């Protein structure tokens, strides 16, 4: 008990100086005013002290503000500056210089109340914090909780490192881009904190040690019990210290656990066995701190210490003393906006938004949230930004105990639900220049109590200055999910649940605020092996390839190109062109990676051709999606696919000749690496040779530089190579504009109850293993010397490709002695150029109209034909019902004709499948003569173009 007594004595003494040594293993010393002082438990530290550890040593320090520092073996720390001013917190500051070895820090009160003056340094880098746990050495700096800003001392490069990421100091002094750390890398850093074990120098010593260990096993057992008791008391004291501070109330369990997070739980036992100095009670605590310990004084002080410890227990609640059933620290994001739609001057003065990001003054907003059992605490410091006033910071504190929350467990995620009515209301209140906005959040929580979504969907309301206003807010937080914990053999599918956004114009004035929940739902697909992500809208036939979305690790980018035009009577009227670039972050949440939180900023530009005016705006979005657990599938992580197929062009030019290129081509090739996600290929679409009218596209994408994504064989995308893609019109060559040319693949769809559907009744996307793919593509071409001339390929242009069935297999099928029927079912994607309106209408694929392709091939037995086959589809204002008849079938593909009431057309296709025929796919063109219903007898001929794909039944 003598060790417990001394430790309690240490706890009961006040922090008279700036810090105390709370634990020590091995040999360590303090360098102070040209003197060396042996490090012992309880010894006080002063500003400018330098702590050195030997190879067998490890030291833990607790500062007055509850900052905890662990110094590893062969390491050194210089306490450059330390001031904790309770009366004037803004005067508090910390500068710790870890100029040698490895370290771990858990920030205390200064890191929360004055984080900009809490600085850490290594010999190569300077570190700023945002409420953090940091682990590092002289080459690698990792953040396990919160976030840090790291700057190279040598080169000045800066990086922002989020939770579960690290950065590395490179040979030239620059810092590497932050990346998610692996368990191996964090274990390696943690191992540098551990002292090296001393080994015996001769066999006699080993023999003596063995005998001694055997004869004294009872004494060692007692030591172990005592050391365990010390460790438990240390953890309880650390917890109590944290909980006695209002600022750190919510981080109690996280901080306590973090002290031993990467350390051996038997460390106290081992330190007692290894460090003989601990056998001398008087050597464990500085004589200046403790004084003489005579038998009587020990007895008296024992009583005092017991009372002090009891006082601490009495001041704490039951939950704070007992180990909680569930204790979690969360990561998250907030976004809210108030926008007035009234007189512009009033609107500008009153509208505002708040966000966690750094404000214009360089101050950093912070979001923190924790769960202890059923109690949720949110501690947020966010910036409130207005158009014409200074940015200010607002602090939000929410504490709410739920009647019941689920228990986290691996594999335990089953879904999420609305808990708004099952807990006390969580209100909010914000004041604008015109009024006070109040309301209650709605609350969505997953079944394990790891993901929380608080949101407010405000209805427009009238304001006193005239006009209306609207306020929306979304808070998303949850347990941080590690990429390293995902099953690398799986593909995860997430369904959009909610997103909130606000928009500002080019002058920074607020124009729109909105919150959407379960509207026009989309899906995120994530390939865990490649860490590749994309998003797909449910109604993709309405947008085609308007947007290319690519994600890697924890970042996401997108490019959007949208054209508003009509083409009537051979004349193009391009009214506007919208382009947008988006950058953002994604955070995987939960033990089962059951949710995604995305936080993105989009910059959009709109060119109005009628007025020659270009406007721009910025949109910030916070959103969340939940895992579709039943749609987790196996990833194909090896092999290379070689595709061939068809590509269609709906290209229109804005020049004096109104050049168009509406044509199909069978010159599409794609090579897809499943192991890397790299995609390459080419396509040519040639309308005529004299004068020339030809598009050439080269695709070359890599996941590593965000120019491709690969989820599976049916969902992938690739950017075009601008240097090798062009549009040649007569004597002019137009170059591909940056970020405008790309190709995306969309799900196959399937027949359910004799109806083609892209999604099942639960909105789950349907795909099949048929060795073929299809999708949309787009591009925009221009020439600097001809500013008024530009050409664009509509985002509704289509393509289809696959692994072509070998000619040898096809020869066996076609030359078989008996005739066999091969039946296929599928659908079409594409466009209709409506001659009446001049609008390009997308072929409907959402199930609201018939869309089907049924093909029956009778092959072998000396007769090969395509019979009893149909193609039926609709656009917004036209309907197409056609019969399909073959004109030629060979071992490389087939051609056919299309016919229906006032309809003529043709198609061309290939057989797809490795080892056997699995599907067919190709392109089609058809015309519908609607002149009979047109007014004044004007010729009205609608034109349909697209691709078809059908799977073998």
């Amino acid at each position: 008990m003598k060790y417990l007594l001394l430790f309690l004595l240490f706890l009961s003494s006040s922090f008279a100086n700036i810090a105390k040594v709370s634990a020590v293993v091995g040999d360590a010393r303090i360098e102070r005013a040209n003197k060396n002082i042996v490090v012992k438990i309880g010894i006080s530290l002063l500003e400018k002290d330098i702590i050195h550890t030997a190879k067998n040593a490890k030291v833990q320090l607790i500062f007055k503000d509850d900052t905890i520092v662990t110094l590893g073996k062969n390491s050194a720390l210089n306490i450059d500056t330390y001031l904790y001013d309770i009366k004037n917190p803004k005067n508090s500051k910390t500068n710790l210089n870890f100029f040698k070895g490895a370290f771990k820090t858990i920030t205390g009160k200064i890191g929360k109340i004055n984080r900009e003056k809490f600085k850490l340094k290594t010999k190569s880098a300077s570190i700023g914090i945002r409420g953090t746990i940091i682990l590092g050495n002289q080459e690698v700096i990792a953040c396990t909780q919160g976030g840090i800003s790291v700057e190279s001392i040598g080169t000045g490069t800066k990086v922002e490192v989020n939770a579960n990421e690290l950065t590395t100091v490179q040979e030239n002094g620059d810092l590497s881009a932050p990346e998610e750390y692996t368990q191996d890398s964090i274990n390696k850093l943690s191992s540098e904190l551990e002292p090296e074990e001393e080994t015996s120098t001769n066999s006699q010593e080993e023999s003596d040690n063995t005998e001694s260990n055997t004869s004294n096993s009872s004494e060692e057992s007692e030591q172990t019990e005592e050391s365990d008791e010390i460790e438990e008391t240390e953890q309880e004291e650390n917890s109590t210290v944290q909980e006695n501070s209002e600022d750190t109330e919510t981080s109690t369990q996280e901080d306590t656990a973090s002290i031993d997070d990467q350390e051996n739980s038997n460390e106290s036992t081992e330190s007692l066995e290894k460090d003989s100095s601990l056998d001398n009670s008087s050597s464990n605590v500085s004589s200046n701190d403790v004084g003489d310990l005579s038998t009587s004084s020990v007895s008296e002080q024992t009583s005092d210490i017991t009372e002090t410890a009891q006082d601490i227990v009495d001041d704490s609640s039951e939950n704070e003393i007992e180990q909680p059933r569930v204790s979690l620290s969360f990561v998250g994001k907030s976004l809210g906006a108030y926008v007035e739609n009234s007189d512009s001057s009033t609107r500008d003065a009153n509208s505002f938004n708040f966000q966690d990001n750094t404000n214009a003054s360089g101050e950093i907003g912070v979001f923190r949230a924790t769960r202890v059992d059923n109690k949720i605490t949110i501690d947020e410091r966010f910036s409130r930004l207005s158009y014409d006033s200074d940015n200010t910071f607002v602090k939000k504190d929410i504490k709410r105990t739920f009647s019941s929350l689920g228990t986290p467990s691996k594999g335990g995620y089953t879904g999420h639900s609305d808990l708004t009515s099952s807990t006390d209301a969580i209100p909010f209140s914000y004041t604008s220049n015109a009024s006070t906005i109040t309301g209650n959040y709605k609350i969505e929580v997953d079944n394990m109590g790891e993901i929380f979504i608080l949101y407010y969907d405000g209805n427009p309301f009238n304001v006193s200055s005239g006009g209306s206003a609207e306020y929306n807010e979304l808070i998303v937080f949850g347990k941080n999910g590690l990429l390293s914990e995902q099953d690398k053999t799986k593909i995860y599918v997430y369904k959009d649940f909610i997103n909130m956004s606000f928009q500002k114009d080019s002058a920074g004035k607020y124009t729109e605020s909105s919150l959407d929940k379960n509207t026009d739902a989309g899906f995120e697909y994530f390939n865990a092996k490649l860490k590749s992500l994309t998003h797909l809208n449910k109604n993709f036939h309405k947008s085609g390839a308007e947007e290319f979305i690519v994600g890697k690790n924890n970042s996401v980018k997108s490019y959007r190109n949208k054209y508003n035009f009509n083409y009537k009577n051979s004349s193009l009227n391009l009214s506007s062109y919208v382009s947008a670039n988006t950058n953002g972050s994604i955070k995987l949440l939960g033990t089962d990676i059951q949710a995604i939180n995305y936080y993105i900023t989009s910059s959009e530009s709109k060119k109005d051709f009628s007025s020659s005016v270009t406007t721009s705006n910025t949109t910030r979005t916070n959103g969340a999606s939940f895992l579709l657990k039943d749609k987790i599938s196996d990833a194909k992580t090896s092999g290379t696919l070689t595709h061939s197929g068809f590509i269609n062009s709906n290209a229109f030019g804005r020049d004096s000749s109104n050049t168009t290129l509406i044509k199909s081509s069978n010159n599409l090739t794609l090579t897809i690496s499943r192991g890397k996600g790299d995609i390459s290929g080419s396509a040519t679409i040639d309308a005529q040779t004299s004068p020339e009218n030809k598009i050439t596209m080269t695709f070359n994408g890599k996941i590593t530089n965000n120019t491709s994504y690969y989820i599976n064989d049916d969902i992938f995308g690739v950017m075009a190579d601008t240097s090798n893609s062009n549009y040649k019109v007569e004597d002019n060559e137009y170059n591909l504009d940056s970020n405008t040319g790309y190709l995306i693949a969309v799900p196959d769809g399937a027949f359910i109850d004799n109806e083609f559907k892209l999604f099942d009744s639960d909105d789950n996307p349907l795909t099949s293993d048929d060795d073929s793919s299809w999708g949309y593509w787009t591009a925009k071409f221009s020439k600097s010397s001809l500013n008024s001339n530009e050409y664009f390929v509509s985002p509704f242009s289509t393509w289809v490709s696959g692994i072509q069935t070998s000619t040898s297999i096809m020869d066996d099928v076609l030359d078989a002695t008996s005739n066999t029927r091969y039946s296929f079912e599928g659908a079409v994607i594409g466009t209709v150029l409506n001659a009446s309106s001049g609008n390009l209408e997308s072929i409907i694929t959402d199930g609201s109209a018939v869309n089907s392709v049924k093909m029956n091939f009778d092959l072998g037995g000396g007769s090969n034909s395509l019979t009893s086959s149909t193609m039926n589809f609709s656009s917004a204002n036209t309907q197409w019902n056609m019969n399909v008849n073959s004109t030629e079938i060979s071992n490389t593909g087939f051609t056919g004709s299309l016919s229906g009431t006032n309809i003529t057309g043709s198609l061309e296709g290939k057989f797809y499948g490795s080892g056997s025929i699995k599907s067919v796919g190709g392109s089609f063109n058809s015309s519908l003569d609607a002149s009979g219903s047109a007014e004044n007898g004007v010729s009205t001929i609608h034109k349909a173009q697209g691709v078809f794909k059908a799977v073998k039944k």
Side-chain angles (χ1 to χ4, degrees):
M1 292 296 293
K2 57 186 178 183
Y3 308 110
L4 177 60
L5 169 65
L6 292 171
F7 190 77
L8 287 173
L9 183 58
F10 155 67
L11 294 176
S12 68
S13 63
S14 65
F15 283 98
N17 299 290
I18 65 171
K20 293 227 175 180
V21 176
S22 57
V24 60
V25 176
D27 301 320
R29 62 185 174 87
I30 301 170
E31 183 182 337
R32 178 186 298 164
N34 298 321
K35 294 182 180 180
N36 287 316
I37 303 170
V38 176
V39 174
K40 300 171 184 177
I41 291 179
I43 195 168
S44 297
L45 296 173
L46 307 177
E47 193 177 54
K48 305 301 181 183
D49 277 354
I50 302 176
I51 301 94
H52 300 267
T53 60
K55 67 178 182 179
N56 68 335
K58 173 182 180 180
V59 174
Q60 186 181 79
L61 317 174
I62 299 181
F63 286 78
K64 289 179 67 176
D65 72 319
D66 300 331
T67 292
I68 300 172
V69 171
T70 303
L71 198 61
K73 62 188 176 185
N74 285 325
S75 301
L77 162 64
N78 185 351
I79 306 175
D80 283 340
T81 306
Y82 184 86
L83 174 63
Y84 180 43
D85 191 336
I86 298 177
K87 294 183 179 179
N88 300 292
K90 285 298 181 181
N91 293 333
S92 300
K93 55 187 175 181
T94 302
N95 283 285
L96 304 178
N97 185 357
F98 299 93
F99 61 91
K100 179 183 177 183
F103 63 92
K104 178 179 179 180
T105 65
I106 304 173
T107 57
K109 297 184 184 71
I110 295 177
K112 295 177 174 64
I113 62 178
N114 208 13
R115 58 181 58 85
E116 61 272 15
K117 290 187 178 181
F118 190 102
K119 299 292 183 182
L120 309 178
K121 286 176 63 179
T122 69
K123 66 181 181 181
S124 303
S126 175
I127 307 166
I129 61 94
R130 303 195 298 271
T132 298
I133 299 176
I134 305 167
L135 187 64
N137 57 27
Q138 303 305 304
E139 289 79 33
V140 180
I141 299 168
C143 178
T144 65
Q145 179 182 324
I148 57 177
S149 176
V150 186
E151 179 178 357
S152 168
I153 293 175
T155 65
T157 57
K158 295 181 181 179
V159 296
E160 298 293 327
V161 182
N162 296 315
N164 302 311
E165 293 181 346
L166 59 76
T167 183
T168 302
V169 180
Q170 302 178 91
E171 290 185 4
N172 64 356
D174 284 341
L175 298 169
S176 68
E179 61 180 352
E180 182 167 327
Y181 57 65
T182 64
Q183 194 60 50
D184 288 342
S185 63
I186 209 70
N187 287 344
K188 183 178 179 181
L189 279 174
S190 299
S191 69
E192 296 184 29
L193 296 175
E194 300 304 322
E196 295 181 9
E197 294 187 12
E198 296 182 0
T199 57
S200 300
T201 58
N202 57 64
S203 59
Q204 183 61 45
E205 286 182 357
E206 293 175 2
S207 176
D208 292 344
N209 288 337
T210 302
E211 293 176 4
S212 175
N213 289 339
T214 303
S215 63
N216 294 304
S217 60
S218 174
E219 180 180 346
E220 290 176 351
S221 176
E222 293 174 3
Q223 271 191 336
T224 301
E225 292 174 4
E226 289 178 357
S227 66
D228 288 342
E229 193 170 5
I230 291 173
E231 183 176 11
E232 292 170 4
T233 307
E234 178 184 358
Q235 290 176 345
E236 182 176 299
E237 171 62 12
N238 286 336
S239 175
T240 305
V241 168
Q242 294 292 330
E243 295 182 14
N244 283 340
S245 164
E246 182 178 354
D247 282 341
T248 58
E249 178 181 354
T250 63
S251 61
T252 302
Q253 298 300 329
E254 181 67 23
D255 285 353
T256 304
S258 297
I259 297 173
D260 299 306
D261 190 24
Q262 301 293 339
E263 301 170 14
N264 194 314
S265 61
N266 296 321
E267 181 181 288
S268 295
T269 302
E270 293 176 358
S271 65
L272 286 171
E273 294 173 349
K274 294 176 185 176
D275 194 345
S276 60
S277 67
L278 295 180
D279 291 335
N280 186 341
S281 61
S282 63
S283 68
N284 282 302
V285 184
S286 169
S287 59
N288 294 331
D289 296 325
V290 180
D292 296 330
L293 293 176
S294 63
T295 304
S296 60
S297 64
V298 168
S299 176
E300 292 169 2
Q301 293 186 50
T302 300
S303 175
D304 293 339
I305 294 167
T306 304
E307 292 175 4
T308 302
Q310 186 61 49
D311 289 341
I312 294 173
V313 172
D314 291 343
D315 287 341
S316 304
S317 67
E318 181 179 356
N319 281 340
E320 292 170 338
I321 294 301
E322 295 181 355
Q323 182 67 24
R325 178 174 60 87
V326 176
S327 178
L328 300 173
S329 179
F330 296 131
V331 294
K333 285 289 186 182
S334 287
L335 191 66
Y338 169 80
V339 176
E340 286 192 2
N341 298 308
S342 56
D343 174 76
S344 61
S345 61
T346 305
R347 177 197 70 191
D348 298 340
N350 295 338
S351 299
F352 69 89
N353 88 89
F354 72 79
Q355 57 198 48
D356 298 328
N357 287 26
T358 305
N359 71 359
S361 301
E363 298 175 285
I364 300 174
V366 173
F367 181 91
R368 290 186 295 267
T370 59
R371 172 187 170 186
V372 177
D373 290 333
N374 291 332
K375 181 181 179 181
I376 300 300
T377 303
I378 299 174
D379 174 18
E380 183 180 15
R381 182 174 180 262
F382 56 86
S383 52
R384 182 182 185 276
L385 295 91
S386 300
Y387 165 67
D388 59 356
S389 62
D390 293 335
N391 299 329
T392 58
F393 268 104
V394 180
K395 184 176 175 60
K396 178 189 297 181
D397 292 304
I398 296 175
K399 296 180 176 65
R400 186 65 73 244
T401 299
F402 289 76
S403 59
S404 178
L405 292 173
T407 302
S409 63
K410 189 69 174 178
Y413 174 68
T414 58
H416 54 93
S417 58
D418 187 339
L419 297 188
T420 306
S421 60
S422 62
T423 187
D424 293 338
I426 302 180
F428 68 85
S429 177
Y430 301 108
T431 301
S432 73
N433 293 337
S435 60
T436 299
I437 309 153
T438 60
N440 295 322
Y441 295 113
K442 292 185 178 180
I443 309 163
E444 191 82 12
V445 183
D446 78 309
N447 69 291
M448 295 199 292
E450 292 187 332
I451 316 297
F452 291 79
I453 297 176
L454 277 58
Y455 63 97
Y456 179 76
D457 188 3
N459 294 317
F461 56 91
N462 295 327
V463 293
S464 58
S465 58
S468 63
E470 185 173 351
Y471 180 77
N472 297 287
E473 184 178 354
L474 174 63
I475 306 173
V476 180
F477 60 94
K479 178 184 176 183
N480 194 45
L482 295 178
L483 288 173
S484 57
E485 294 181 357
Q486 278 191 310
D487 187 339
K488 298 301 187 296
T489 67
K490 300 298 182 183
I491 292 169
Y492 296 79
V493 183
Y494 299 82
K495 184 178 179 181
D496 289 346
F497 173 71
I498 194 170
N499 72 78
M500 182 266 154
S501 63
F502 73 89
Q503 189 177 95
K504 296 191 296 182
D505 63 19
S506 58
K509 300 179 179 181
Y510 296 83
T511 58
E512 182 180 340
S513 172
S514 63
L515 186 141
D516 296 317
K517 179 174 177 289
N518 286 332
T519 58
D520 198 21
F523 305 87
E524 282 82 25
Y525 292 82
F526 187 76
N527 183 316
K529 168 67 166 55
L530 300 175
K531 300 179 182 178
S532 181
L533 176 141
T534 194
H535 179 272
L536 180 71
N537 285 324
K538 178 184 175 183
N539 295 321
F540 56 75
H541 75 280
K542 294 181 179 180
S543 57
E546 282 184 1
E547 192 164 21
F548 181 88
I549 303 174
V550 56
K552 182 187 68 170
N553 292 330
N554 291 322
S555 65
V556 63
K557 291 179 177 289
S558 75
Y559 307 101
R560 185 156 61 94
N561 295 275
K562 182 178 181 180
Y563 309 89
N564 296 306
F565 72 98
N566 61 53
Y567 185 79
K568 188 175 182 181
N569 299 325
S570 300
S571 179
L572 172 67
N573 177 24
L574 179 59
S575 58
S576 65
Y577 164 60
V578 178
S579 62
N581 292 336
T582 298
N583 288 281
S585 62
I586 54 176
K587 185 67 71 174
L588 302 179
L589 303 176
T591 299
D592 289 345
I593 321 294
Q594 64 262 35
I596 290 178
N597 177 206
Y598 53 89
Y599 197 79
I600 57 178
T601 300
S602 178
S603 299
E604 182 180 279
S605 175
K606 180 179 180 180
K607 184 176 182 179
D608 190 317
F609 290 97
S610 61
S611 63
S612 298
V613 173
T614 299
T615 57
S616 61
N617 61 66
T618 301
T619 302
R620 190 179 295 273
T621 302
N622 186 24
S625 304
F626 280 103
L627 177 68
L628 297 174
K629 193 170 182 179
D630 61 332
K631 297 304 292 184
I632 296 176
S633 60
D634 293 331
K636 296 180 179 179
T637 57
S638 62
T640 298
L641 306 178
T642 302
H643 277 205
S644 63
F646 303 83
I647 187 166
N648 297 329
S649 168
N650 284 296
F652 302 86
R654 195 174 73 90
D655 65 2
S656 58
S657 60
N658 286 311
T659 303
T660 61
L661 200 164
I662 304 175
K663 188 175 175 62
S664 302
S665 167
N666 64 355
N667 291 319
L668 172 65
T669 62
L670 293 173
T671 301
I672 304 167
S673 169
R674 288 170 170 166
K676 295 182 177 180
D678 296 346
I679 303 173
S680 60
S682 64
T684 57
I685 307 162
D686 197 347
Q688 58 193 29
T689 57
S690 181
E692 193 169 27
N693 187 5
K694 178 181 179 181
I695 293 177
T696 300
M697 298 294 294
T698 301
F699 302 101
N700 186 13
K702 297 180 180 296
I703 284 181
T704 54
N705 60 14
N706 289 315
T707 53
S708 72
Y709 61 86
Y710 174 80
I711 307 302
N712 56 33
D713 294 350
D714 294 308
I715 302 174
F716 57 83
V718 58
M719 297 286 291
D721 184 350
T722 56
S723 61
N724 293 295
S725 300
N726 55 65
Y727 188 5
K728 291 184 178 180
V729 181
E730 298 180 346
D731 296 328
N732 292 311
E733 181 176 314
Y734 296 83
N735 299 318
L736 177 66
D737 292 350
S738 297
N739 304 325
T740 66
Y742 43 82
L743 172 153
I744 65 169
V746 298
D748 296 316
F751 268 86
I752 299 177
D753 298 328
N754 294 317
E755 183 179 345
F756 180 80
K757 296 180 180 180
L758 290 163
F759 301 88
D760 64 16
S761 57
D762 295 321
D763 281 342
N764 297 325
L766 299 169
T767 60
S768 58
D769 187 12
D770 57 5
D771 285 349
S772 59
S773 307
W774 64 353
Y776 300 88
W777 75 286
T778 189
K780 180 175 177 289
F781 305 89
S782 64
K783 188 173 184 177
S784 58
S785 61
L786 297 171
N787 293 328
S788 62
N789 291 10
E790 54 190 356
Y791 295 84
F792 65 92
V793 177
S794 164
F796 298 100
S797 299
T798 53
W799 62 273
V800 63
S801 68
I803 302 173
Q804 191 167 352
T805 305
S806 68
T807 54
S808 60
I809 292 176
M810 289 305 306
D811 285 338
D812 291 341
V813 171
L814 298 176
D815 297 337
T817 56
S818 59
N819 188 271
T820 301
R821 170 159 288 193
Y822 294 80
S823 296
F824 302 84
E825 285 186 335
V828 305
I829 58 175
T831 56
V832 173
L833 182 57
N834 189 309
S836 300
S837 64
N839 294 329
L840 198 64
E841 301 175 352
S842 176
I843 293 173
I844 298 170
T845 61
D846 63 1
S848 62
V850 173
N851 186 333
S852 71
V853 172
K854 296 185 178 181
M855 291 186 169
N856 297 296
F857 290 86
D858 294 326
L859 306 178
S863 174
N864 300 307
S865 62
L866 177 60
T867 59
S868 303
S869 301
T870 59
M871 179 182 289
N872 304 296
F873 58 83
S874 298
S875 69
N877 296 289
T878 66
Q879 184 172 338
W880 306 67
N881 298 310
M882 298 173 286
N883 294 316
V884 183
N885 299 292
S886 63
T887 55
E888 182 180 0
I889 299 175
S890 69
N891 60 5
T892 59
F894 56 90
T895 59
S897 62
L898 299 171
S899 61
T901 303
N902 298 322
I903 299 175
T904 59
S906 62
L907 60 77
E908 183 179 6
K910 296 179 183 291
F911 297 97
Y912 293 121
S914 57
S916 64
I917 303 173
K918 297 180 181 180
S919 61
V920 294
S923 65
F924 70 91
N925 288 274
S926 57
S927 299
L928 189 161
D929 189 346
S931 300
S933 60
E935 295 181 5
N936 302 322
V938 177
S939 176
T940 305
I941 300 178
H942 308 307
K943 295 183 179 295
Q945 178 181 261
V947 295
F948 64 90
K949 192 161 84 73
V951 179
K952 187 173 179 293
K953 295 174 63 176

